[in-house]
Amino acid sequence: MFSTRKKVLYAGGTAAGLIAAVLTAAVSTVLAGSSAHAADEVTHHEFQVNCTVNHRAPDDPIVFPNMPGASHDHSFVGNKTTNAATTLNSLNAAGPYATTCLNPDDLSAYWWPTMFRGNDPVSQTWHQTIYYKSGILDYQAVRPFPPGIRFVVGSPAATQEAFRTSPGAVEGWECGDSAHNWDFPANCPAGTQLNIRYQAPSCWNGRDLDSADHKSHMAYPVNGACPASHPNPLPMLEFKIAFPADGDVTNVRLASGRGYSWHYDFFNAWDPPTLAALVSHCINGGLQCNSRGFDLYKPHRGQVLGDNYRLPGRP
């Protein structure tokens, strides 16, 4: 659950307050003087997915389909069956609960480069957080991902400057009070961890589920709106990934290289009605939801999924 209200971010993070400012002003104008509706002020439009790492492998079914061992090492969360031969059909065939995400009907695959400390992989043993947000000002226009859409976010070949100036960048690598590190810092305070947040493009061309570079069918919003070339707003993914590494971290690396080679992959295989319910209730509804579609700060708005993280009536 959430202990504090988080800073509002949208694609690029550099204009992080823009959505909050516009929406707060609009809502405040309508609700001025109305204490009864004060709690409904829109500050967020998101829900989160929480998943644990289920396996590691040198596979990438998007970049190197049907080529096991062709990639650098990745850490996979979500669908337990993900491998080099993964397709939408294979993800769906796994069936409900075949995932390490809290939502049994999220059969999507998510993965990122494994972190190493020297030659030893850094083990991530707790739930990692993936946010589904609005990347545009008109959050009520966001629609669910189409089944089978897949893309790569970031680049293992990025330079440090490209990583720093990417529209997906938020605050770089963080540990303790240190942020805006565009490569790994040399040292992290004892008991802290290395964290990275990075946002995905959220505007789709409306035609292709993939593209030759696994990116061109998606685009980042421009000034809070989708460009004409990619007019369809989808949820904006924001991976918030934590690695238990503290102290001297000069020997930390990613399987893909330096800290600025950070990237991740997404292959959508949500149960469509479940994803649609979460997008409608949480993103379109202007809420800050957990994985059940419940906003702790607006309990009167209800919970869209049951306590088993499924649509009502599903066991």
Side-chain angles (χ1 to χ4, degrees):
M1 300 298 278
F2 307 93
S3 56
T4 58
R5 300 297 274 184
K6 303 186 303 302
K7 179 172 65 177
V8 175
L9 295 165
Y10 81 106
T14 54
L18 178 58
I19 293 177
V22 172
L23 295 177
T24 299
V27 175
S28 295
T29 300
V30 175
L31 303 179
S34 174
S35 59
H37 296 285
D40 283 325
E41 181 180 353
V42 175
T43 58
H44 293 73
H45 11 70
E46 65 183 47
F47 64 92
Q48 63 176 256
V49 170
N50 304 109
C51 314
T52 55
V53 174
N54 60 62
H55 69 281
R56 295 175 31 242
D59 294 338
D60 190 324
I62 295 178
V63 179
F64 298 108
N66 298 305
M67 298 174 64
S71 174
H72 51 254
D73 201 73
H74 284 111
S75 295
F76 292 84
V77 306
N79 199 302
K80 297 177 183 179
T81 70
T82 310
N83 58 36
T86 286
T87 63
L88 176 61
N89 286 340
S90 71
L91 293 173
N92 285 332
Y97 290 97
T99 176
T100 59
C101 300
L102 293 179
N103 298 86
D105 297 296
D106 180 9
L107 296 177
S108 304
Y110 311 84
W111 62 95
W112 54 79
T114 301
M115 178 181 284
F116 288 86
R117 200 163 192 169
N119 293 319
D120 299 321
V122 175
S123 180
Q124 298 169 279
T125 58
W126 56 83
H127 282 97
Q128 302 295 322
T129 301
I130 299 169
Y131 292 101
Y132 283 61
K133 301 185 173 187
S134 174
I136 60 171
L137 288 168
D138 184 11
Y139 59 91
Q140 294 178 326
V142 174
R143 295 296 176 262
F145 287 116
I149 196 169
R150 50 204 180 272
F151 48 84
V152 177
V153 182
S155 171
T159 64
Q160 186 168 355
E161 182 64 10
F163 180 60
R164 184 186 70 81
T165 57
S166 166
V170 181
E171 292 182 346
W173 290 95
E174 307 168 284
C175 66
D177 294 329
S178 176
H180 299 99
N181 299 295
W182 307 111
D183 196 358
F184 297 125
N187 189 277
C188 288
T192 63
Q193 56 194 16
L194 275 168
N195 299 300
I196 182 73
R197 290 183 294 152
Y198 202 83
Q199 297 175 342
S202 58
C203 298
W204 178 42
N205 67 11
R207 180 181 64 253
D208 304 307
L209 298 178
D210 196 4
S211 50
D213 63 358
H214 314 296
K215 293 184 177 186
S216 297
H217 57 307
M218 300 294 294
Y220 283 96
V222 178
N223 297 322
C226 284
S229 60
H230 295 71
N232 302 279
L234 302 177
M236 180 191 73
L237 298 180
E238 179 183 310
F239 278 41
K240 183 180 181 182
I241 309 303
F243 298 87
D246 61 358
D248 181 358
V249 292
T250 54
N251 65 340
V252 164
R253 62 181 175 86
L254 297 174
S256 53
R258 301 285 291 271
Y260 45 81
S261 71
W262 175 253
H263 60 285
Y264 58 82
D265 299 50
F266 169 65
F267 199 135
N268 177 46
W270 272 91
D271 168 64
T274 302
L275 179 59
L278 287 165
V279 169
S280 176
H281 184 70
C282 301
I283 297 180
N284 303 150
L287 299 176
Q288 183 188 12
C289 294
N290 62 15
S291 294
R292 293 189 181 99
F294 177 74
D295 187 333
L296 175 66
Y297 300 96
K298 300 175 183 176
H300 61 286
R301 296 286 297 275
Q303 179 173 303
V304 72
L305 301 181
D307 289 343
N308 63 351
Y309 299 93
R310 306 194 76 190
L311 288 171
R314 294 187 179 183

